[in-house]
Amino acid sequence: MNRQKSILSFFQKTAPESCTSGGRRAPTSSVQQPNGNVTTAPKPPPSADDVRGTDTPPEKVPRQVLPASFARSENNSGSNLFESIMHKFVKVDDTVNVSQRSHSSNDSFPKPSLSGISIDTNSKGLQKEESAFEPLVKVKDNAFSFKEKRNLEKVAPVEIIEDDITGPETPGMQPLASHAKRTREEGSKFCSLRDSGKRVRFLEDLNALDMTKKEAEVASKFEWLDPSRIRDASGRRPGDPLYDKTTLYVPPEVMKKMSASQKQYWSIKCKYMDVVLFFKVGKFYELYEVDADIGHKELYWKITISGVGKCRQVGISESGIDVAVQNLVARGYKVGRVEQLETSEEAKARGANSVILRKLVQVVTPSTAVDGNIGPDATHLLAIKEGNHGSDDGSVVYGFAFVDCARLRFWVGSIDDDASCSALGALLMQVSPKEVIYESRGLSKEAQKALRKFSGNGSTTLLTPVQSINDLVNTEINDLILSKGYFKGSSDPLDHVMSKVIHREITLSALGGLIGHLDRLMLDDILQNGDLYPYQVYKACLKMDGPTLINLEIFSNSDDGGKSGTLYKYLDNCVTSPGKRLLRNWICCPLKDGEGINNRLDVVDNLIACPEIVSHIAQHLRKLPDLELLLGRIKSTLQVSSPVLLPLLVKKILKQRVKVFGSLVKGLRTALSLLLLLQKEQPLISSLNKVFKLPILTGINGLDKFLTQFEAAVDSDFPNYLNHNVTDSDAETLTILTELLLEKAAQWFEVVNAINCIDVLRSFAMASSFSCGTMSRPVIVPRSECTSKDSGGPVLKMKGLWHPFALGESGCLPVPNDIILGENEDRRHPCTLLLTGPNMGGKSTLLRATCLAVIMAQLGCYVPCENCVISVVDIIFTRLGATDRIMAGESTFFIECTETASVLQNATQDSLVILDELGRGTSTFDGYAIAYAVFRHLIEKVNCRLLFATHYHPLTKEFASHPRVTMQHMACAFKSKSDTLSKRDQELVFLYRLASGACPESYGLQVALMAGIPEKTVNIASKASQQMKKSIGRTFRSSELRSEFSTLHEEWLKTLMSISRMEDGKSFDEDVLDTLICLWYELKTSFRSGN
């Protein structure tokens, strides 16, 4: 009988909210009186053998799930709730014991309510003062009055057991749901139980479904978490534009009724609704309510009904908490830990009813993680603030601040941008933040679109809108930094760093927002010990804006957003994680200084000439830990952090510090050994010293002797530093050693930077030596020679150029081509290439290969060609591919025009501009007109190095005789499929070779056949094309004469006539002079052809 009662206790257990921290409520039986009132009589407490788990014990005999007196309803006015599925649950085997057990349970246990039940609250009963949050369930006379249309008198209630609890859509942000709300949602599924695969169990008899006043109050205990009632700390609803998802309003009357531990939890949780909050209870860490859903969904933990306030909870022992936190952070969640500040014995010593003191010690996010498997990529948290210049030209200014918590480095800066947000895109591509903090109402729609476009390339970026980046004025931010000792460990003071920023006020505001965010996450250690640096998006380097970095697939490909098929992947032969991070920084900012480029190339030359040295370097690099991260972690331990103050965590944290310190000392020894080895190699070390600065390594004041002392200390005090059993004296010893080691922190960072540079330059040498095609050292022409009178201006000459990571047909190398842009000694070669050719002929590949070769050359790496002569490029602009952003409301043509506008506004004579099929996103005539106007502006006004690919063949006629334009096309040929000479039986073959002159047509119909368009459809298109040519044949014939007298010649003639009318020759402007030069060139060419 005890066995049966314990099973019944599982079937008929009270709602979880009915349990309080003070103990269990004794079950009661309800008896309905004739007048409708309900009287309750206390029952003895359940047996100690009662099972309170969540798994149903196995049955030895078949159970009767419907009462023996169950009969089909005769009422035809409405169908019985379970008539359609009753046969699935009625068992043939019906025993007396089971009947007795079913009958006894009807009088012993209160029954939970069904959803969809209407409750009468109009009659006399409980009178309760109205509040801002009305309960979802109201009580009358301690009983429920049911008004159901369905015939439910003899239907057993059903409780659905959810096998899979769904977590929130975004980490930690979905509002919690009360038990009553969940019950209603579950009840709404009853009508579809026939098609449902969920397990159901029948509770006994609806007649006993009475709920006491206390049970009703418990059921509505968490109603302020219900999505229909939830509010932020300011009382705003989710629909309010100012609604703050990170906070929660807890009614004061609810907080007063909570136990001490409940108040501890909810007083913290109401301020951190966006954080998964682990609550330490004894030897376990527990998650409650919506956080429990996350633990169940992401970590597959089983939900139980217990914990603070007897709510849904999951938990893990303290031995597994670190792994659990890392797993949740890796999935994009913010995770906090509420630690115990004392033991239970210490709490009892303060008083019998004292509660253990607890405190939120730290919040870990994907953008602030310093432990665990961080990976080779830098982890940045970026705060951005938008302002304007007060002008109507669409110009805008952004102030920004970002931090790498693992390396204890802060950067601040500002950028000027336009409506295209190209500079903002460059910032986002360079920084590649894990999280971006911005003002939800202070950032324009264009900027928010740029955040979504440029932040999601190759990684998952969390965009965090906040109500205000910073409410403090600049003087208050300065006072806050000084009062709390922020950045006191920085080598440069705040004022010195801010003096290098153009827009100081908006930058300081962004820094204040970043400080406020880190302060909320309890990361004062990072703020106090971090180094502060100024950051320039275009810092005296080759400028590449956001669209260019995407179009050229520098860091992520356009296929799946991965790294394969990118320049970064091609050049990445680095061994260490810091080396990979430095390589990314170098690619973002190629050099513009010819001397610096040649210094890097000299190192690459020496490494290629000494392969055995390259092998030794690799062996040392493989032994190195991430020295940057270790130095950052050691530096952060100089100030006592909040977790260290917790007595229960001292040994654990001290053990980690010993491990980090020992690893750092051993790693620095490996680094010094490599540098000492390279000092013996000439001329390699001489070229290396031109790339980076080395501290003194040998001698009395050298780092070699200085480090030997710390090696001896580690060997004696922490011989097993990877798993050291710490003692009380270790803390003081470790602190002294750390302070002494960091006395030379600047020199250690120079050592780490030198190692990183060696790793990247070795990677360049590997890419140059083991490439599948010809690689050569570029010849860098200084700017002084390009701008001198004896020089022909900017130049770009490449012989045998091939795309470094695009394979040709059958996996072979792409066909090499020669590119010549810019004037030579006799000033005869144009700097503009007008490129035509068939679709799929290789035009885009050639354009990209040209840009990639320029980037590689200015990085200090060999380029994929036989020889290369290049004058330094200041900016690369690209307009490649046909893309749209439907979700951002931007069409293909709109993106074309936006990127082209940036080119026209910012290109200089030293720029390299790549335009591919400009104008194809709109009508033929509008597109041609735009392409014509842009092309003419660039060649006559800017005169930069320009590659312009087009299918507008009239352009080749218009500019055929222009002195600054050369015509070339991607060659193709026709291959006969049969012995007949019919053109229909010929197959188009792409040669991928650059040929002189313009291509006669684009062969779109042949490409359409190759793409699989039915031949019948192509034939119809061919006939239509011939008909169009006949109907406007005169126009086509006249366009052929454009090469002899185009609209350009008309403009020149008009200008010449206007010149003849001028009385003062000093009034000539640049346009007139350009026209005279063009006329001179035309006359000279005509004279030569006549002779």
Side-chain angles (χ1 to χ4, degrees), residues 128-148:
K128 188 175 182 179
E129 182 181 355
E130 289 291 325
S131 63
F133 300 90
E134 296 183 5
L136 295 178
V137 181
K138 293 187 177 180
V139 180
K140 177 204 172 186
D141 296 334
N142 298 337
F144 284 104
S145 175
F146 299 98
K147 298 181 180 179
E148 267 301 286

Side-chain angles (χ1 to χ4, degrees), residues 473-489:
V473 297
N474 292 340
T475 55
E476 292 176 331
I477 297 174
N478 279 319
D479 293 341
L480 175 66
I481 293 174
L482 293 175
S483 62
K484 292 198 173 184
Y486 294 158
F487 309 119
K488 62 183 180 182

Side-chain angles (χ1 to χ4, degrees), residues 215-343:
E215 287 175 313
E217 290 177 352
V218 170
S220 61
K221 170 168 70 169
F222 290 109
E223 285 175 1
W224 38 276
L225 294 173
D226 190 274
S228 63
R229 296 169 177 264
I230 193 169
R231 298 175 184 266
D232 65 7
S234 300
R236 293 183 288 254
R237 297 278 298 125
D240 193 309
L242 299 178
Y243 176 73
D244 184 7
K245 295 180 179 180
T246 65
T247 62
L248 172 70
Y249 175 78
V250 182
E253 63 272 14
V254 174
M255 188 68 78
K256 290 179 182 179
K257 297 178 182 179
M258 289 183 179
S259 64
S261 58
Q262 286 179 277
K263 289 179 180 179
Q264 281 182 333
Y265 176 78
W266 287 110
S267 63
I268 299 174
K269 182 63 179 177
C270 68
K271 302 175 185 177
Y272 291 88
M273 286 298 291
D274 58 330
V275 176
V276 179
L277 212 57
F278 279 98
F279 193 75
K280 182 71 178 294
V281 181
K283 297 290 185 179
F284 290 87
Y285 289 87
E286 297 179 349
L287 300 176
Y288 304 123
E289 285 297 323
V290 71
D291 291 347
D293 289 337
I294 295 174
H296 172 76
K297 175 185 176 182
E298 301 291 350
L299 304 176
Y300 309 104
W301 293 345
K302 191 169 186 178
I303 292 182
T304 58
I305 308 298
S306 60
V308 175
K310 301 304 179 189
C311 56
R312 293 178 301 149
Q313 71 100 18
V314 296
I316 190 173
S317 64
E318 57 186 3
S319 60
I321 184 61
D322 293 333
V323 176
V325 170
Q326 291 178 17
N327 289 336
L328 287 174
V329 171
R331 288 166 170 82
Y333 293 92
K334 302 176 183 178
V335 185
R337 288 162 64 170
V338 179
E339 297 284 356
Q340 295 181 172
L341 303 181
E342 58 186 356
T343 63

Side-chain angles (χ1 to χ4, degrees), residues 836-839 951 953 970 972 974 983 998-1006 1025 1029:
T836 55
N839 300 99
H951 287 290
H953 293 280
M970 302 304 296
C972 62
F974 284 93
K983 191 173 182 179
C999 189
E1001 57 179 293
S1002 296
Y1003 305 106
L1005 297 179
Q1006 286 76 10
S1025 175
K1029 290 181 180 179

Side-chain angles (χ1 to χ4, degrees), residues 970-1014:
M970 302 304 296
C972 62
F974 284 93
K975 177 182 178 182
S976 299
K977 297 181 180 178
S978 60
D979 296 336
T980 62
L981 299 178
S982 174
K983 191 173 182 179
R984 180 177 299 178
D985 295 331
Q986 292 181 338
E987 179 183 3
L988 181 65
V989 178
F990 303 112
L991 302 180
Y992 305 108
R993 177 171 47 82
L994 200 59
S996 300
C999 189
E1001 57 179 293
S1002 296
Y1003 305 106
L1005 297 179
Q1006 286 76 10
V1007 176
L1009 278 174
M1010 297 172 60
I1013 294 181

Side-chain angles (χ1 to χ4, degrees), residues 432-621:
S432 186
K434 285 284 187 180
E435 183 178 0
V436 180
I437 306 169
Y438 65 96
E439 288 183 325
S440 56
R441 300 172 63 86
L443 204 63
S444 63
K445 293 182 179 179
E446 291 74 16
Q448 294 188 36
K449 292 175 183 178
L451 289 182
R452 292 189 290 270
K453 176 184 177 182
F454 297 106
S455 296
N457 285 275
S459 64
T460 302
T461 302
L462 179 62
L463 303 179
T464 305
V466 296
Q467 298 302 323
S468 177
I469 281 292
N470 186 46
D471 295 327
L472 304 177
V473 297
N474 292 340
T475 55
E476 292 176 331
I477 297 174
N478 279 319
D479 293 341
L480 175 66
I481 293 174
L482 293 175
S483 62
K484 292 198 173 184
Y486 294 158
F487 309 119
K488 62 183 180 182
S490 177
S491 55
D492 292 327
L494 176 64
D495 291 337
H496 177 72
V497 173
M498 296 303 298
S499 65
K500 299 180 181 179
V501 178
I502 298 177
H503 305 283
R504 177 187 175 96
E505 291 186 2
I506 194 170
T507 302
L508 199 56
S509 181
L511 177 60
L514 181 62
I515 290 174
H517 185 78
L518 294 176
D519 181 66
R520 178 175 181 261
L521 301 181
M522 309 291 183
L523 296 177
D524 285 349
D525 293 347
I526 293 173
L527 289 167
Q528 293 172 356
N529 297 288
D531 278 309
L532 194 62
Y533 303 95
Y535 188 89
Q536 297 179 3
V537 176
Y538 301 129
K539 49 182 179 183
C541 64
L542 169 61
K543 297 180 182 179
M544 294 181 288
D545 58 16
T548 296
L549 294 172
I550 291 180
N551 291 335
L552 296 180
E553 299 180 310
I554 301 297
F555 298 113
S556 59
N557 61 54
S558 58
D559 183 20
D560 58 2
K563 295 181 180 180
S564 61
T566 63
L567 179 63
Y568 174 79
K569 180 67 175 180
Y570 178 77
L571 295 177
D572 182 20
N573 297 292
C574 297
V575 177
T576 66
S577 294
K580 293 178 183 294
R581 292 193 289 268
L582 182 62
L583 172 62
R584 182 184 177 91
N585 293 340
W586 280 15
I587 293 177
C588 287
C589 304
L591 299 178
K592 218 167 46 171
D593 172 35
E595 182 181 359
I597 296 172
N598 284 316
N599 288 338
R600 290 183 183 178
L601 287 170
D602 291 341
V603 176
V604 174
D605 282 343
N606 292 325
L607 290 174
I608 293 176
C610 303
E612 66 280 358
I613 296 298
V614 175
S615 177
H616 285 300
I617 292 174
Q619 292 177 6
H620 282 78
L621 293 178

Side-chain angles (χ1 to χ4, degrees), residues 374-385:
I374 297 178
D377 296 332
T379 303
H380 290 144
L381 168 64
L382 170 68
I384 190 165
K385 174 85 171 181

